[in-house]
Short mmCIF file of all heavy atoms in Angstrom, two decimals:
data_model
loop_
_atom_site.label_atom_id
_atom_site.label_comp_id
_atom_site.label_asym_id
_atom_site.label_seq_id
_atom_site.Cartn_x
_atom_site.Cartn_y
_atom_site.Cartn_z
N ASN U 211 -84.92 -21.49 -178.79
CA ASN U 211 -85.72 -21.18 -179.95
C ASN U 211 -85.33 -21.89 -181.20
O ASN U 211 -86.13 -22.33 -181.99
CB ASN U 211 -85.81 -19.64 -180.13
CG ASN U 211 -84.40 -19.01 -180.34
OD1 ASN U 211 -83.57 -19.12 -179.47
ND2 ASN U 211 -84.24 -18.33 -181.47
N HIS U 212 -84.05 -22.03 -181.37
CA HIS U 212 -83.52 -22.76 -182.56
C HIS U 212 -83.87 -24.25 -182.50
O HIS U 212 -84.15 -24.88 -183.53
CB HIS U 212 -82.06 -22.51 -182.76
CG HIS U 212 -81.69 -21.17 -183.19
ND1 HIS U 212 -81.54 -20.80 -184.51
CD2 HIS U 212 -81.46 -20.03 -182.52
CE1 HIS U 212 -81.27 -19.55 -184.67
NE2 HIS U 212 -81.21 -19.03 -183.39
N ASP U 213 -83.90 -24.77 -181.29
CA ASP U 213 -84.25 -26.20 -181.09
C ASP U 213 -85.76 -26.36 -181.40
O ASP U 213 -86.15 -27.41 -181.99
CB ASP U 213 -83.93 -26.63 -179.67
CG ASP U 213 -82.55 -26.25 -179.25
OD1 ASP U 213 -81.61 -26.48 -180.09
OD2 ASP U 213 -82.34 -25.69 -178.18
N ALA U 214 -86.55 -25.38 -181.06
CA ALA U 214 -87.99 -25.46 -181.35
C ALA U 214 -88.21 -25.47 -182.85
O ALA U 214 -89.08 -26.18 -183.35
CB ALA U 214 -88.76 -24.32 -180.70
N TRP U 215 -87.50 -24.65 -183.58
CA TRP U 215 -87.56 -24.60 -185.00
C TRP U 215 -87.20 -25.97 -185.63
O TRP U 215 -87.93 -26.50 -186.49
CB TRP U 215 -86.67 -23.55 -185.58
CG TRP U 215 -87.19 -22.20 -185.73
CD1 TRP U 215 -88.51 -21.83 -185.92
CD2 TRP U 215 -86.46 -20.94 -185.66
NE1 TRP U 215 -88.68 -20.48 -185.98
CE2 TRP U 215 -87.40 -19.88 -185.84
CE3 TRP U 215 -85.14 -20.63 -185.49
CZ2 TRP U 215 -87.06 -18.59 -185.84
CZ3 TRP U 215 -84.74 -19.31 -185.46
CH2 TRP U 215 -85.66 -18.32 -185.66
N CYS U 216 -86.12 -26.57 -185.13
CA CYS U 216 -85.60 -27.82 -185.65
C CYS U 216 -86.67 -28.95 -185.31
O CYS U 216 -86.97 -29.80 -186.14
CB CYS U 216 -84.25 -28.16 -185.06
SG CYS U 216 -83.50 -29.59 -185.80
N GLU U 217 -87.21 -28.88 -184.13
CA GLU U 217 -88.21 -29.87 -183.69
C GLU U 217 -89.45 -29.76 -184.67
O GLU U 217 -90.01 -30.79 -185.06
CB GLU U 217 -88.67 -29.62 -182.30
CG GLU U 217 -89.72 -30.59 -181.83
CD GLU U 217 -90.16 -30.30 -180.42
OE1 GLU U 217 -89.55 -29.39 -179.72
OE2 GLU U 217 -91.14 -30.89 -179.95
N ASP U 218 -89.85 -28.51 -184.97
CA ASP U 218 -91.00 -28.37 -185.92
C ASP U 218 -90.72 -28.99 -187.25
O ASP U 218 -91.60 -29.64 -187.84
CB ASP U 218 -91.30 -26.85 -186.04
CG ASP U 218 -91.97 -26.27 -184.85
OD1 ASP U 218 -92.45 -27.02 -183.95
OD2 ASP U 218 -91.97 -24.99 -184.72
N TRP U 219 -89.51 -28.82 -187.73
CA TRP U 219 -89.12 -29.40 -189.00
C TRP U 219 -89.16 -30.94 -188.94
O TRP U 219 -89.69 -31.61 -189.82
CB TRP U 219 -87.71 -28.94 -189.44
CG TRP U 219 -87.16 -29.81 -190.51
CD1 TRP U 219 -87.60 -29.90 -191.81
CD2 TRP U 219 -86.06 -30.74 -190.39
NE1 TRP U 219 -86.87 -30.84 -192.51
CE2 TRP U 219 -85.88 -31.34 -191.70
CE3 TRP U 219 -85.18 -31.05 -189.39
CZ2 TRP U 219 -84.91 -32.25 -191.94
CZ3 TRP U 219 -84.20 -32.02 -189.60
CH2 TRP U 219 -84.02 -32.57 -190.87
N LEU U 220 -88.64 -31.51 -187.84
CA LEU U 220 -88.67 -32.97 -187.70
C LEU U 220 -90.09 -33.51 -187.62
O LEU U 220 -90.35 -34.67 -188.09
CB LEU U 220 -87.86 -33.39 -186.42
CG LEU U 220 -86.40 -33.22 -186.52
CD1 LEU U 220 -85.74 -33.37 -185.09
CD2 LEU U 220 -85.76 -34.24 -187.44
N VAL U 221 -91.00 -32.75 -187.10
CA VAL U 221 -92.39 -33.17 -186.99
C VAL U 221 -93.16 -32.99 -188.35
O VAL U 221 -93.83 -33.93 -188.78
CB VAL U 221 -93.14 -32.34 -185.91
CG1 VAL U 221 -94.62 -32.61 -185.94
CG2 VAL U 221 -92.62 -32.73 -184.52
N SER U 222 -92.98 -31.83 -188.93
CA SER U 222 -93.85 -31.45 -190.09
C SER U 222 -93.11 -31.43 -191.46
O SER U 222 -93.74 -31.39 -192.50
CB SER U 222 -94.49 -30.13 -189.83
OG SER U 222 -93.44 -29.08 -189.85
N GLY U 223 -91.79 -31.28 -191.41
CA GLY U 223 -91.03 -31.12 -192.66
C GLY U 223 -91.01 -29.66 -193.13
O GLY U 223 -90.48 -29.33 -194.15
N HIS U 224 -91.65 -28.78 -192.34
CA HIS U 224 -91.78 -27.39 -192.73
C HIS U 224 -90.48 -26.66 -192.49
O HIS U 224 -89.81 -26.83 -191.45
CB HIS U 224 -92.90 -26.73 -191.88
CG HIS U 224 -93.18 -25.33 -192.30
ND1 HIS U 224 -93.36 -24.91 -193.58
CD2 HIS U 224 -93.31 -24.16 -191.54
CE1 HIS U 224 -93.62 -23.61 -193.65
NE2 HIS U 224 -93.55 -23.14 -192.43
N THR U 225 -90.05 -25.83 -193.48
CA THR U 225 -88.74 -25.07 -193.39
C THR U 225 -89.02 -23.65 -193.65
O THR U 225 -88.71 -23.17 -194.76
CB THR U 225 -87.75 -25.68 -194.37
OG1 THR U 225 -88.33 -25.62 -195.72
CG2 THR U 225 -87.43 -27.14 -194.11
N PRO U 226 -89.47 -22.92 -192.66
CA PRO U 226 -89.72 -21.47 -192.85
C PRO U 226 -88.49 -20.69 -193.16
O PRO U 226 -87.38 -21.03 -192.72
CB PRO U 226 -90.36 -21.05 -191.54
CG PRO U 226 -89.87 -22.04 -190.52
CD PRO U 226 -89.78 -23.37 -191.26
N ASP U 227 -88.60 -19.69 -193.98
CA ASP U 227 -87.44 -18.89 -194.42
C ASP U 227 -86.74 -18.27 -193.20
O ASP U 227 -85.50 -18.22 -193.22
CB ASP U 227 -87.89 -17.79 -195.36
CG ASP U 227 -88.28 -18.30 -196.71
OD1 ASP U 227 -87.93 -19.45 -197.04
OD2 ASP U 227 -88.99 -17.60 -197.47
N VAL U 228 -87.46 -17.91 -192.20
CA VAL U 228 -86.85 -17.23 -191.03
C VAL U 228 -85.88 -18.22 -190.34
O VAL U 228 -84.84 -17.85 -189.79
CB VAL U 228 -87.90 -16.74 -190.03
CG1 VAL U 228 -88.71 -17.86 -189.44
CG2 VAL U 228 -87.21 -15.90 -188.92
N TRP U 229 -86.24 -19.54 -190.30
CA TRP U 229 -85.31 -20.54 -189.77
C TRP U 229 -84.11 -20.76 -190.67
O TRP U 229 -82.99 -20.75 -190.16
CB TRP U 229 -86.08 -21.85 -189.56
CG TRP U 229 -85.24 -22.96 -188.99
CD1 TRP U 229 -84.34 -22.88 -187.96
CD2 TRP U 229 -85.15 -24.29 -189.47
NE1 TRP U 229 -83.72 -24.11 -187.75
CE2 TRP U 229 -84.19 -24.94 -188.65
CE3 TRP U 229 -85.82 -24.96 -190.52
CZ2 TRP U 229 -83.87 -26.32 -188.87
CZ3 TRP U 229 -85.50 -26.31 -190.73
CH2 TRP U 229 -84.57 -26.99 -189.88
N LEU U 230 -84.38 -20.93 -191.92
CA LEU U 230 -83.26 -21.19 -192.87
C LEU U 230 -82.26 -20.00 -192.85
O LEU U 230 -81.04 -20.24 -192.84
CB LEU U 230 -83.79 -21.36 -194.28
CG LEU U 230 -84.70 -22.58 -194.50
CD1 LEU U 230 -85.21 -22.60 -195.93
CD2 LEU U 230 -83.97 -23.87 -194.15
N PHE U 231 -82.74 -18.82 -192.78
CA PHE U 231 -81.90 -17.65 -192.80
C PHE U 231 -81.10 -17.53 -191.49
O PHE U 231 -79.96 -16.99 -191.51
CB PHE U 231 -82.77 -16.35 -192.95
CG PHE U 231 -81.93 -15.11 -193.00
CD1 PHE U 231 -81.20 -14.71 -194.10
CD2 PHE U 231 -81.92 -14.28 -191.87
CE1 PHE U 231 -80.47 -13.57 -194.08
CE2 PHE U 231 -81.20 -13.09 -191.89
CZ PHE U 231 -80.43 -12.69 -192.96
N ASN U 232 -81.63 -18.04 -190.41
CA ASN U 232 -80.98 -17.95 -189.10
C ASN U 232 -80.28 -19.20 -188.69
O ASN U 232 -80.16 -19.51 -187.48
CB ASN U 232 -81.99 -17.52 -188.06
CG ASN U 232 -82.37 -16.06 -188.10
OD1 ASN U 232 -81.60 -15.19 -187.71
ND2 ASN U 232 -83.53 -15.77 -188.64
N GLY U 233 -79.70 -19.93 -189.63
CA GLY U 233 -78.88 -21.06 -189.30
C GLY U 233 -79.44 -22.43 -189.66
O GLY U 233 -78.78 -23.43 -189.57
N GLY U 234 -80.79 -22.43 -190.00
CA GLY U 234 -81.42 -23.69 -190.25
C GLY U 234 -80.88 -24.38 -191.46
O GLY U 234 -80.93 -25.61 -191.54
N LYS U 235 -80.39 -23.66 -192.44
CA LYS U 235 -79.86 -24.26 -193.66
C LYS U 235 -78.76 -25.22 -193.32
O LYS U 235 -78.67 -26.34 -193.87
CB LYS U 235 -79.43 -23.19 -194.65
CG LYS U 235 -78.95 -23.74 -195.99
CD LYS U 235 -78.72 -22.61 -196.96
CE LYS U 235 -78.25 -23.11 -198.37
NZ LYS U 235 -76.94 -23.88 -198.27
N SER U 236 -77.79 -24.84 -192.50
CA SER U 236 -76.72 -25.72 -192.13
C SER U 236 -77.18 -26.94 -191.37
O SER U 236 -76.59 -28.01 -191.44
CB SER U 236 -75.66 -24.90 -191.32
OG SER U 236 -76.16 -24.55 -190.05
N THR U 237 -78.25 -26.74 -190.53
CA THR U 237 -78.80 -27.88 -189.83
C THR U 237 -79.41 -28.88 -190.76
O THR U 237 -79.15 -30.12 -190.65
CB THR U 237 -79.84 -27.40 -188.82
OG1 THR U 237 -79.23 -26.52 -187.87
CG2 THR U 237 -80.49 -28.55 -188.09
N LEU U 238 -80.18 -28.43 -191.76
CA LEU U 238 -80.75 -29.33 -192.74
C LEU U 238 -79.70 -30.12 -193.44
O LEU U 238 -79.77 -31.29 -193.66
CB LEU U 238 -81.55 -28.53 -193.76
CG LEU U 238 -82.94 -28.07 -193.34
CD1 LEU U 238 -83.60 -27.25 -194.46
CD2 LEU U 238 -83.86 -29.23 -192.85
N GLU U 239 -78.62 -29.44 -193.82
CA GLU U 239 -77.51 -30.04 -194.55
C GLU U 239 -76.82 -31.14 -193.70
O GLU U 239 -76.39 -32.19 -194.23
CB GLU U 239 -76.50 -29.03 -195.01
CG GLU U 239 -77.00 -28.09 -196.13
CD GLU U 239 -76.14 -26.97 -196.41
OE1 GLU U 239 -75.14 -26.72 -195.68
OE2 GLU U 239 -76.39 -26.22 -197.39
N SER U 240 -76.76 -30.92 -192.40
CA SER U 240 -76.11 -31.89 -191.52
C SER U 240 -76.98 -33.13 -191.37
O SER U 240 -76.45 -34.20 -190.92
CB SER U 240 -75.83 -31.25 -190.14
OG SER U 240 -77.03 -31.19 -189.37
N TYR U 241 -78.24 -33.06 -191.75
CA TYR U 241 -79.14 -34.22 -191.64
C TYR U 241 -79.40 -34.91 -192.94
O TYR U 241 -80.25 -35.78 -193.03
CB TYR U 241 -80.50 -33.77 -191.05
CG TYR U 241 -80.54 -33.72 -189.54
CD1 TYR U 241 -80.49 -32.51 -188.87
CD2 TYR U 241 -80.63 -34.91 -188.79
CE1 TYR U 241 -80.53 -32.47 -187.48
CE2 TYR U 241 -80.70 -34.85 -187.39
CZ TYR U 241 -80.65 -33.69 -186.73
OH TYR U 241 -80.69 -33.65 -185.41
N GLU U 242 -78.74 -34.53 -193.98
CA GLU U 242 -79.02 -35.03 -195.33
C GLU U 242 -78.98 -36.58 -195.46
O GLU U 242 -79.76 -37.12 -196.22
CB GLU U 242 -78.06 -34.40 -196.40
CG GLU U 242 -78.40 -32.97 -196.75
CD GLU U 242 -77.43 -32.34 -197.75
OE1 GLU U 242 -76.37 -33.00 -197.98
OE2 GLU U 242 -77.77 -31.36 -198.33
N ASP U 243 -78.06 -37.21 -194.79
CA ASP U 243 -77.93 -38.62 -194.93
C ASP U 243 -78.50 -39.46 -193.83
O ASP U 243 -78.19 -40.65 -193.67
CB ASP U 243 -76.38 -38.99 -195.07
CG ASP U 243 -75.75 -38.31 -196.26
OD1 ASP U 243 -76.44 -38.19 -197.32
OD2 ASP U 243 -74.59 -37.89 -196.14
N TYR U 244 -79.37 -38.81 -193.01
CA TYR U 244 -79.95 -39.53 -191.84
C TYR U 244 -81.12 -40.41 -192.28
O TYR U 244 -81.98 -40.01 -193.06
CB TYR U 244 -80.42 -38.58 -190.79
CG TYR U 244 -79.34 -38.34 -189.71
CD1 TYR U 244 -78.15 -37.71 -190.03
CD2 TYR U 244 -79.61 -38.73 -188.41
CE1 TYR U 244 -77.18 -37.49 -189.10
CE2 TYR U 244 -78.63 -38.50 -187.46
CZ TYR U 244 -77.42 -37.87 -187.79
OH TYR U 244 -76.48 -37.69 -186.81
N LEU U 245 -81.17 -41.65 -191.73
CA LEU U 245 -82.27 -42.55 -191.97
C LEU U 245 -83.48 -42.10 -191.11
O LEU U 245 -83.32 -41.51 -190.04
CB LEU U 245 -81.89 -43.95 -191.63
CG LEU U 245 -80.77 -44.59 -192.47
CD1 LEU U 245 -80.33 -45.91 -191.89
CD2 LEU U 245 -81.15 -44.67 -193.95
N PRO U 246 -84.68 -42.39 -191.59
CA PRO U 246 -85.90 -42.03 -190.80
C PRO U 246 -85.89 -42.43 -189.36
O PRO U 246 -86.34 -41.68 -188.47
CB PRO U 246 -87.03 -42.67 -191.59
CG PRO U 246 -86.47 -42.79 -192.98
CD PRO U 246 -85.08 -43.07 -192.88
N GLU U 247 -85.40 -43.64 -189.07
CA GLU U 247 -85.48 -44.11 -187.70
C GLU U 247 -84.51 -43.28 -186.78
O GLU U 247 -84.78 -43.05 -185.57
CB GLU U 247 -85.03 -45.61 -187.59
CG GLU U 247 -83.77 -45.99 -188.29
CD GLU U 247 -83.94 -46.47 -189.72
OE1 GLU U 247 -84.87 -45.97 -190.35
OE2 GLU U 247 -83.19 -47.37 -190.14
N LYS U 248 -83.39 -42.80 -187.31
CA LYS U 248 -82.47 -41.96 -186.59
C LYS U 248 -83.05 -40.56 -186.39
O LYS U 248 -82.91 -39.92 -185.34
CB LYS U 248 -81.13 -41.84 -187.29
CG LYS U 248 -80.28 -43.09 -187.19
CD LYS U 248 -78.90 -42.92 -187.71
CE LYS U 248 -78.03 -44.16 -187.50
NZ LYS U 248 -76.64 -43.92 -187.90
N LEU U 249 -83.80 -40.09 -187.37
CA LEU U 249 -84.52 -38.80 -187.26
C LEU U 249 -85.52 -38.93 -186.14
O LEU U 249 -85.72 -37.98 -185.37
CB LEU U 249 -85.17 -38.38 -188.55
CG LEU U 249 -84.25 -38.01 -189.72
CD1 LEU U 249 -85.09 -37.70 -190.95
CD2 LEU U 249 -83.45 -36.77 -189.32
N ASP U 250 -86.20 -40.04 -186.05
CA ASP U 250 -87.19 -40.23 -184.96
C ASP U 250 -86.53 -40.17 -183.61
O ASP U 250 -87.13 -39.66 -182.68
CB ASP U 250 -87.94 -41.58 -185.16
CG ASP U 250 -88.86 -41.58 -186.38
OD1 ASP U 250 -89.21 -40.48 -186.78
OD2 ASP U 250 -89.22 -42.69 -186.81
N LEU U 251 -85.38 -40.76 -183.49
CA LEU U 251 -84.68 -40.70 -182.19
C LEU U 251 -84.31 -39.30 -181.82
O LEU U 251 -84.38 -38.92 -180.64
CB LEU U 251 -83.40 -41.59 -182.25
CG LEU U 251 -83.62 -43.13 -182.30
CD1 LEU U 251 -82.30 -43.84 -182.55
CD2 LEU U 251 -84.29 -43.60 -181.05
N HIS U 252 -83.86 -38.53 -182.81
CA HIS U 252 -83.55 -37.10 -182.56
C HIS U 252 -84.80 -36.30 -182.18
O HIS U 252 -84.74 -35.43 -181.31
CB HIS U 252 -82.84 -36.51 -183.77
CG HIS U 252 -81.40 -36.95 -183.85
ND1 HIS U 252 -80.43 -36.16 -184.42
CD2 HIS U 252 -80.75 -38.05 -183.44
CE1 HIS U 252 -79.30 -36.79 -184.39
NE2 HIS U 252 -79.45 -37.99 -183.79
N LEU U 253 -85.89 -36.59 -182.85
CA LEU U 253 -87.16 -35.88 -182.47
C LEU U 253 -87.51 -36.21 -181.06
O LEU U 253 -87.93 -35.29 -180.32
CB LEU U 253 -88.27 -36.36 -183.43
CG LEU U 253 -89.68 -35.83 -183.11
CD1 LEU U 253 -89.72 -34.32 -183.07
CD2 LEU U 253 -90.73 -36.37 -184.12
N GLU U 254 -87.39 -37.44 -180.65
CA GLU U 254 -87.71 -37.75 -179.23
C GLU U 254 -86.82 -36.99 -178.31
O GLU U 254 -87.27 -36.54 -177.25
CB GLU U 254 -87.49 -39.26 -179.02
CG GLU U 254 -88.52 -40.14 -179.74
CD GLU U 254 -88.25 -41.61 -179.55
OE1 GLU U 254 -87.34 -41.94 -178.75
OE2 GLU U 254 -88.87 -42.45 -180.25
N PHE U 255 -85.60 -36.77 -178.68
CA PHE U 255 -84.66 -36.00 -177.83
C PHE U 255 -85.15 -34.56 -177.67
O PHE U 255 -85.17 -34.04 -176.58
CB PHE U 255 -83.25 -36.08 -178.43
CG PHE U 255 -82.25 -35.27 -177.67
CD1 PHE U 255 -81.70 -35.79 -176.46
CD2 PHE U 255 -81.75 -34.07 -178.13
CE1 PHE U 255 -80.75 -35.07 -175.76
CE2 PHE U 255 -80.77 -33.40 -177.39
CZ PHE U 255 -80.32 -33.88 -176.23
#
């Protein structure tokens, strides 16, 4: 379920509060310096 949330963010940029509250904030922070092409590779994964 957490992977589905992260995938939704990679697709749409949407960051629902329920995701941020349940660990999504730390995930966003870990991606702060990622280039768009690397984000695309992760989305494919």
Side-chain angles (χ1 to χ4, degrees):
N211 56 302
H212 288 267
D213 311 314
W215 273 330
C216 188
E217 180 183 353
D218 287 344
W219 164 67
L220 289 169
V221 170
S222 67
H224 186 49
T225 57
D227 288 342
V228 65
W229 178 46
L230 297 178
F231 180 76
N232 283 284
K235 184 174 182 294
S236 67
T237 297
L238 284 179
E239 291 171 352
S240 77
Y241 274 105
E242 281 180 346
D243 299 324
Y244 266 65
L245 297 173
E247 54 266 31
K248 289 191 175 182
L249 289 177
D250 289 341
L251 289 174
H252 283 209
L253 174 58
E254 290 176 10
F255 180 74

